[in-house]
Amino acid sequence: MSKQFYKSVYFKDYPSDFSKYKSITLAFSEPEVPYFSKVKDMSTQEIKELIGIKSYKQLSLFAEKQERSINQVVKRLIKQNLSDFEQLDGVTKKDVTFVKSKDIPFQRWYPYIEGYSLDFVKSLIKNFEIKKTLIYEPFAGTGTTIFAADNEGFSTIYSEINPLLQFLIQTKLQILKSNKMQRQELSNKLKNISQTIVLSLNKFEEDKFLRETYNTVFVDSKYFPNETFSKILKLRSYIDIVKLNNDLLADTLTIAVISCLLPVSYLKKAGDVRFKTPTEMARELKSIDDLLPHKINNIAQDVLDFNYELKNTHELILSNAKNISRTNNLKIGAIITSPPYLNGTNYFRNTKVELWFLRYLQFENDLRFFRDQALASGINDVKKEFARVNGLDVTAKSKILKSTLTELNKKNYDSRIPIMVKSYFEDMYRIFRDSKHHLISNAKILIDIGDSIFCGVHINTDKILTELMMELGFNLIDNKILRKRRSRNKEILTQSLLVFQNPTENGKNTNVNTITFWEKNWNRFKKEMPHQHEPYSSRNWGHHNHALCSYQGKLKPAIAHHLVKTFVPDTGSVLDPFAGVGTIPFEAALSGKTAYGIDISLPAYYISYAKVTAQIPKESYNYLNSLKDFITKSSCTKEELKEVKYFGFNKTLADYYEETTLKEILLARRFIKENYPKTPSEMLVVASLLHILHGNRPYALSRRSHPIVPYAPTGEYIYKNLVEKLTNKVEKVINEELPIDFRNGKIFNQDSTIIWPQELNNLDAIITSPPFFDSTRFYLANWIRIWFSGWSETDFRYKPNSFIEEKQKKDFTIYESIFRQSKERLKKDGVCIFHLGKSVKCDMAKELQRISKHWFRTADLFYESVEHCESHGIRDKGTVTSHQYLILV
């Protein structure tokens, strides 16, 4: 007996009292498999469209007239009409959605329903004869285009504004770069973790910062059961420990956790993210103890089983495709993309829980900042003031859009809807206009796009986009309907493939900045070198708060002062992504400019934030008094006393302090760990305490050492009261006057190579002095202060691997993310200044020029002798032969 294949088609008017029985079942024989394969993934609506009959009554009458069975009639109509409804060669309906990816290793790790399949992208490359070239994906999503292109032998560049999706892509790329032995090791470690992680969590504390950011971002919203929420916070701490020794293992484990967040929460993704209903809660709410080990184990198996290695290079060229004009000479041969549909979906809101766990949502307005930068495809992506934005009248470039907006303005129930539609096409127009400058001759642009309906008005996205693209000079090659679907009001919507070709190579480089106000100032700086002359050459020049805490490798305040004066306009803004103890941001704040800084070091963060903010004395004294009470009422533990007896580098901690003083320091360390400073005024207390931890003056708590580097101590063990010395230091700083035009700044504690806070935007300048290639290891030069801020002996063994001073010794490409983000966060005429050190071993400027070429051009490179530099009594100044000023625009 031959095998049969079945397909059900639903009819609302089918004669049955039960909804689930209101369908006919088509039976296909083995010879009819080619037809069955074409319709098996179609929806009922699509089959009705195909056969041209929409009701069971019509179908029954037609079958009677033909004197055939309903099964025969429907199959005959399918065969007759299928050629007019054909898809691309070898592509099914499921290829253009995420459905097939649910079961594909790597693609299934994090379900992203907005995506399409690998097979679909491969078919596009094949059917439209894209030859070996560079492919650009402006809306990368989970990376389907990237991985499909690699499979077909192509390198890609891509953009993706959502940090969650960036993280997913980059982690997958790292795994696929790994060889078989490395994957075996990763898989084994994941499997071991899957067996032990539930019990292991009991040994970890909740991540306090993550809990706090949850309260800041989500306020009173409750997304998890209490026990589950506690375990999620512990998982964050668990992964941070794993990351100390194995980045890739930690990142892969993170994917497992974020893929579990919604299933174990009160939320679900059904189009948009919403709360589960009581029925859904009872049926769908998962236990993290059950789900997570299973997910980790699945990923471990995929890592082992997926027999594929990357063949080509894939680079995140920009986060935001709207900034593509800011890049240089990309020579793109094809664009393959599926932009966000104009469907009202809030893509960032839908991933807010995952973004929070990844620490990309930390501040109240972070979600808003993300939405403001994204393609305007959702109602919450626009503000009413967007309607008044000048510069581009997109309605003059599309008659269909103009008439559509006219109709929307008559019928809309929310005045933001026509603004959203107009903004969407403005963004799309700009992206493809600016991408055009990077396209080679005959480059193809393939866009998977869907239309939409708002207020009963049909938005013909494909037709409008075609008008805009043709106005830009692209030739339309094809417009294929990929599938049809129903809108909420039951109208037919289509998903289409638009194919365009760029007829000629544009050849323009749009990333050409004109030298602005700072050119004359910079020429004067190079000629006069003001920081080498009085009064700036004085060791103690500058505001007294520069000396809040001594720190190895601090930039000379006079240099910072003149760089800020030269490159930052009045009331302008500046960022230092390697802020250290805040010398550059502080000089900017002193001159009334908006100052920002980033630093990975917790001591540097406390010190710099305390500097760039006008103090509120009451907050400082309250924190100081709480510390005093804690020291008075508490005792050291055996573990704390044991640690200081054996831990240290040149000498143990116990060698530095008189016994009672040491106990006060240990208690102060515990107090700060349990009550970490939340405001700059509280940070002032901690920064002041860091300063007095060691030195060669009466203020220091230690025996005689050095105020910058803790050299082995000498002299007698003398008791020094911590609170007394600390109070003197805090009062001294508070009593220092700040200029009348001082402007509070802001410092962020994070790795500057990962995604920067969203607040950092529209900057006038980035001025920084990253660690020199041959510089002293900061974590050793500042080891007592770093230990006091919470590092353990284990941390000193592993955490330095995340510092750029260590990373750059292996590969300067870690600066790529710095340059990429710098270009996106600067104003179009913004400038980037790197103060560098050239040594016998490394020409830093040359290396960074090479890395930055996609985003910047060199406006100048200036060398300065180091003969004038002071040693401050430090025996080893490194091997720097000259300082370099690299000016990038």
Side-chain angles (χ1 to χ4, degrees):
M1 185 176 178
S2 62
K3 187 174 182 182
Q4 293 219 305
F5 303 87
Y6 301 96
K7 173 69 180 178
S8 294
V9 183
Y10 175 84
F11 287 95
K12 188 176 181 180
D13 62 337
Y14 187 88
S16 173
D17 294 331
F18 301 98
S19 177
K20 66 179 180 178
Y21 297 130
K22 288 179 176 288
S23 62
I24 63 168
T25 300
L26 305 177
F28 293 82
S29 64
E30 284 190 278
E32 294 173 320
V33 165
Y35 299 102
F36 171 74
S37 66
K38 299 290 186 181
V39 300
K40 66 184 178 73
D41 293 324
M42 286 186 180
S43 66
T44 285
Q45 184 57 42
E46 287 169 336
I47 291 178
K48 289 179 180 179
E49 289 282 324
L50 178 60
I51 65 176
I53 297 176
K54 297 187 177 181
S55 72
Y56 181 78
K57 184 177 181 180
Q58 287 177 307
L59 180 59
S60 183
L61 290 172
F62 184 75
E64 284 181 22
K65 186 176 181 181
Q66 293 286 317
E67 296 182 350
R68 297 178 184 276
S69 70
I70 286 177
N71 186 67
Q72 288 174 323
V73 165
V74 174
K75 287 195 295 183
R76 281 174 65 87
L77 289 172
I78 287 173
K79 293 171 185 177
Q80 289 172 12
N81 301 337
L82 198 55
S83 60
D84 297 328
F85 206 76
E86 275 288 0
Q87 302 301 301
L88 298 171
D89 292 345
V91 181
T92 68
K93 296 287 181 185
K94 289 186 178 180
D95 285 325
V96 296
T97 69
F98 187 76
V99 173
K100 288 185 69 174
S101 297
K102 288 180 180 178
D103 299 318
I104 297 174
F106 283 67
Q107 294 301 95
R108 68 179 180 175
W109 291 1
Y110 178 82
Y112 192 67
I113 59 174
E114 290 81 4
Y116 45 29
S117 76
L118 288 166
D119 287 341
F120 177 60
V121 179
K122 291 178 186 179
S123 72
L124 296 182
I125 293 171
K126 175 185 174 183
N127 285 303
F128 293 99
E129 298 180 336
I130 296 172
K131 304 302 180 184
K132 194 165 181 64
T133 188
L134 180 67
I135 294 175
Y136 175 45
E137 164 58 290
F139 307 97
T142 56
T144 305
T145 298
I146 299 165
F147 300 117
D150 187 87
N151 201 269
E152 296 297 308
F154 293 85
S155 292
T156 67
I157 54 174
Y158 65 96
S159 301
E160 176 47 59
I161 198 167
N162 191 316
L164 163 66
L165 304 182
Q166 284 185 32
F167 173 77
L168 291 171
I169 292 170
Q170 289 163 359
T171 305
K172 292 175 188 176
L173 288 173
Q174 284 300 114
I175 293 172
L176 291 175
K177 287 177 185 176
S178 304
N179 59 40
K180 188 174 182 179
M181 186 179 297
Q182 290 169 328
R183 289 193 206 179
Q184 177 75 64
E185 182 182 356
L186 176 60
S187 178
N188 290 344
K189 288 181 177 178
L190 286 168
K191 287 180 178 179
N192 289 337
I193 288 173
S194 72
Q195 296 170 5
T196 61
I197 191 166
V198 173
L199 291 177
S200 296
L201 285 184
N202 296 327
K203 303 173 186 176
F204 288 84
E205 295 180 357
E206 294 181 357
D207 187 304
K208 292 194 297 182
F209 290 95
L210 196 63
R211 178 182 280 276
E212 186 170 301
T213 58
Y214 182 96
N215 295 331
T216 300
V217 174
F218 302 133
V219 195
D220 298 325
S221 298
K222 187 177 176 64
Y223 296 145
F224 302 96
N226 291 338
E227 184 180 356
T228 300
F229 185 54
S230 177
K231 288 180 179 179
I232 289 169
L233 297 176
K234 290 178 180 180
L235 278 167
R236 182 71 271 175
S237 300
Y238 180 99
I239 292 171
D240 288 345
I241 295 298
V242 173
K243 198 169 184 66
L244 292 178
N245 193 35
N246 192 324
D247 276 346
L248 186 55
L249 177 61
D251 291 345
T252 311
L253 189 58
T254 301
I255 292 179
V257 173
I258 60 177
S259 70
C260 295
L261 290 179
L262 285 189
V264 303
S265 76
Y266 297 137
L267 303 172
K268 74 173 291 179
K269 190 177 290 185
D272 283 336
V273 167
R274 61 167 173 79
F275 279 98
K276 294 180 175 103
T277 64
T279 302
E280 290 169 336
M281 199 86 71
R283 185 176 65 244
E284 299 176 19
L285 184 63
K286 307 292 185 184
S287 161
I288 197 164
D289 289 356
D290 297 332
L291 186 61
L292 181 58
H294 179 70
K295 189 69 178 182
I296 296 170
N297 202 57
N298 281 349
I299 291 176
Q301 199 60 46
D302 281 353
V303 168
L304 192 61
D305 292 345
F306 199 57
N307 188 25
Y308 181 80
E309 286 187 30
L310 284 182
K311 306 179 184 72
N312 304 279
T313 59
H314 307 281
E315 181 178 6
L316 175 63
I317 195 69
L318 288 169
S319 294
N320 195 338
K322 291 194 281 188
N323 293 326
I324 192 64
S325 66
R326 300 188 178 198
T327 54
N328 296 325
N329 306 319
L330 298 177
K331 301 295 182 184
I332 297 167
I335 295 175
I336 302 176
T337 190
S338 180
Y341 290 4
L342 182 57
N343 56 10
T345 298
N346 188 330
Y347 292 96
F348 282 105
R349 182 179 176 275
N350 283 352
T351 56
K352 63 185 178 182
V353 176
E354 296 93 328
L355 288 168
W356 160 75
F357 185 80
L358 290 169
R359 297 189 174 116
Y360 293 129
L361 295 183
Q362 296 190 25
F363 304 99
E364 184 180 0
N365 293 321
D366 278 352
L367 209 53
R368 178 77 253 177
F369 282 129
F370 277 122
R371 292 205 302 264
D372 287 348
Q373 295 170 58
L375 185 74
S377 59
I379 193 68
N380 291 313
D381 294 337
V382 299
K383 298 177 181 176
K384 290 185 179 180
E385 56 264 33
F386 284 13
R388 298 189 292 273
V389 175
N390 297 318
L392 174 63
D393 182 11
V394 75
T395 59
K397 304 177 187 300
S398 169
K399 292 180 181 179
I400 300 174
L401 176 61
K402 188 172 184 177
S403 63
T404 302
L405 289 173
T406 300
E407 196 174 353
L408 271 176
N409 279 312
K410 292 177 183 176
K411 297 183 177 180
N412 79 78
Y413 54 83
D414 186 326
S415 60
R416 293 175 299 169
I417 290 174
I419 301 172
M420 174 189 69
V421 173
K422 183 171 180 284
S423 299
Y424 177 82
F425 288 107
E426 284 178 348
D427 286 347
M428 292 284 275
Y429 181 87
R430 285 192 174 99
I431 288 168
F432 289 106
R433 178 196 66 190
D434 295 343
S435 297
K436 194 174 195 296
H437 298 295
H438 295 291
L439 296 177
I440 64 174
S441 180
N442 296 318
K444 292 186 175 74
I445 302 97
L446 291 80
I447 307 169
D448 170 7
I449 199 71
D451 55 3
S452 54
I453 292 176
F454 287 96
C455 317
V457 178
H458 191 179
I459 317 296
N460 289 290
T461 309
D462 58 334
K463 294 178 181 178
I464 295 170
L465 190 54
T466 296
E467 283 191 334
L468 296 176
M469 295 292 281
M470 293 181 73
E471 198 276 340
L472 284 168
F474 294 111
N475 296 331
L476 178 66
I477 295 176
D478 210 343
N479 182 352
K480 288 183 179 291
I481 293 177
L482 297 173
R483 70 182 182 111
K484 294 189 177 183
R485 64 197 195 282
R486 285 278 187 181
S487 69
R488 289 178 182 173
N489 64 356
K490 305 302 180 184
E491 291 198 41
I492 301 296
L493 295 175
T494 60
Q495 179 179 347
S496 302
L497 175 69
L498 301 178
V499 184
F500 301 93
Q501 190 167 36
N502 183 45
T504 56
E505 185 167 2
N506 189 286
K508 290 182 181 178
N509 180 7
T510 56
N511 182 26
V512 177
N513 296 30
T514 55
I515 303 284
T516 52
F517 76 95
W518 52 262
E519 183 177 21
K520 186 182 292 185
N521 295 339
W522 174 237
N523 288 331
R524 185 183 300 117
F525 178 96
K526 291 190 292 182
K527 182 179 179 180
E528 298 176 1
M529 302 298 287
H531 57 284
Q532 294 188 22
H533 304 288
E534 290 291 347
Y536 304 107
S537 59
S538 170
R539 173 182 290 188
N540 296 320
W541 180 87
H543 194 280
H544 287 169
N545 284 354
H546 272 300
L548 171 57
C549 182
S550 308
Y551 209 76
Q552 168 78 346
K554 184 173 74 174
L555 183 69
K556 189 175 180 182
I559 296 176
H561 171 80
H562 286 288
L563 289 179
V564 168
K565 183 179 178 181
T566 298
F567 291 102
V568 187
D570 294 340
T571 70
S573 56
V574 61
L575 164 70
D576 182 352
F578 300 100
V581 289
T583 305
I584 291 171
F586 185 46
E587 276 301 318
L590 288 168
S591 59
K593 297 170 173 61
T594 302
Y596 298 104
I598 299 173
D599 206 273
I600 193 171
S601 166
L602 193 57
Y605 167 67
Y606 290 149
I607 297 163
S608 54
Y609 215 156
K611 282 183 184 178
V612 302
T613 310
Q615 302 302 322
I616 301 174
K618 184 178 179 180
E619 287 185 4
S620 298
Y621 287 123
N622 285 345
Y623 193 72
L624 186 57
N625 288 333
S626 296
L627 171 62
K628 181 180 179 180
D629 289 344
F630 186 86
I631 291 174
T632 303
K633 299 174 182 178
S634 305
S635 301
C636 295
T637 65
K638 291 180 180 179
E639 290 75 15
E640 288 171 330
L641 294 172
K642 183 179 179 181
E643 179 187 16
V644 296
K645 186 176 180 181
Y646 296 103
F647 174 68
F649 286 94
N650 45 14
K651 292 289 183 179
T652 68
L653 285 160
D655 291 324
Y656 276 83
Y657 305 100
E658 185 272 340
E659 184 178 356
T660 304
T661 302
L662 179 58
K663 289 179 180 178
E664 292 178 0
I665 291 171
L666 285 170
L667 292 171
R669 181 175 184 254
R670 194 201 309 165
F671 171 83
I672 292 166
K673 184 179 180 181
E674 294 175 0
N675 306 273
Y676 63 88
K678 296 182 178 65
T679 69
S681 297
E682 292 179 345
M683 292 178 196
L684 169 61
V685 177
V686 180
S688 299
L689 182 45
L690 292 171
H691 177 68
I692 65 174
L693 280 177
H694 57 81
N696 53 11
R697 304 280 180 85
Y699 68 78
L701 297 175
S702 68
R703 299 163 61 203
R704 184 175 180 82
S705 180
H706 192 280
I708 298 177
V709 178
Y711 291 143
T714 59
E716 297 181 17
Y717 289 89
I718 301 172
Y719 169 67
K720 298 177 181 179
N721 185 286
L722 182 147
V723 173
E724 178 187 320
K725 298 289 186 182
L726 178 57
T727 303
N728 292 339
K729 175 65 177 177
V730 170
E731 289 178 343
K732 184 177 180 181
V733 176
I734 287 175
N735 290 333
E736 289 289 346
E737 284 192 24
L738 295 169
I740 194 168
D741 55 351
F742 181 88
R743 189 169 187 173
N744 284 344
K746 194 166 186 178
I747 309 295
F748 302 91
N749 179 217
Q750 69 164 71
D751 180 352
S752 60
T753 65
I754 65 173
I755 295 174
W756 296 349
Q758 295 309 297
E759 184 177 337
L760 302 176
N761 251 315
N762 212 30
L763 302 165
D764 289 286
I766 289 173
I767 305 176
T768 192
S769 183
F772 295 171
F773 184 81
D774 290 343
S775 63
T776 304
R777 291 187 169 105
F778 290 161
Y779 61 91
L780 287 180
N782 297 293
W783 72 269
I784 289 184
R785 291 178 176 129
I786 291 176
W787 163 83
F788 183 83
S789 299
W791 276 28
S792 66
E793 185 175 0
T794 303
D795 292 325
F796 277 97
R797 192 176 303 126
Y798 296 112
K799 278 190 176 180
N801 295 330
S802 61
F803 282 26
I804 202 161
E805 63 193 89
E806 294 300 312
K807 288 182 177 180
Q808 70 186 6
K809 291 175 182 176
K810 299 175 184 176
D811 190 353
F812 268 97
T813 58
I814 48 119
Y815 281 92
E816 285 181 353
S817 64
I818 304 292
F819 291 123
R820 181 181 68 247
Q821 295 191 85
S822 295
K823 177 54 73 173
E824 291 201 83
R825 305 306 183 92
L826 285 166
K827 293 177 179 176
K828 284 196 173 180
D829 60 350
V831 59
C832 198
I833 301 94
F834 276 72
H835 176 263
L836 307 166
K838 181 182 180 182
S839 69
V840 175
K841 294 181 181 178
C842 180
D843 185 334
M844 284 191 73
K846 183 178 179 181
E847 291 293 332
L848 296 188
Q849 280 179 302
R850 176 179 61 84
I851 299 298
S852 67
K853 64 184 180 181
H854 276 325
W855 302 279
F856 289 95
R857 64 180 180 86
T858 301
D860 198 9
L861 174 57
F862 178 66
Y863 291 81
E864 177 188 15
S865 168
V866 296
E867 290 181 4
H868 66 285
C869 296
E870 292 185 278
S871 68
H872 297 284
I874 297 174
R875 299 159 195 151
D876 180 14
K877 289 175 59 180
T879 60
V880 172
T881 58
S882 63
H883 287 172
Q884 301 169 309
Y885 296 83
L886 178 61
I887 316 299
L888 302 171
V889 294

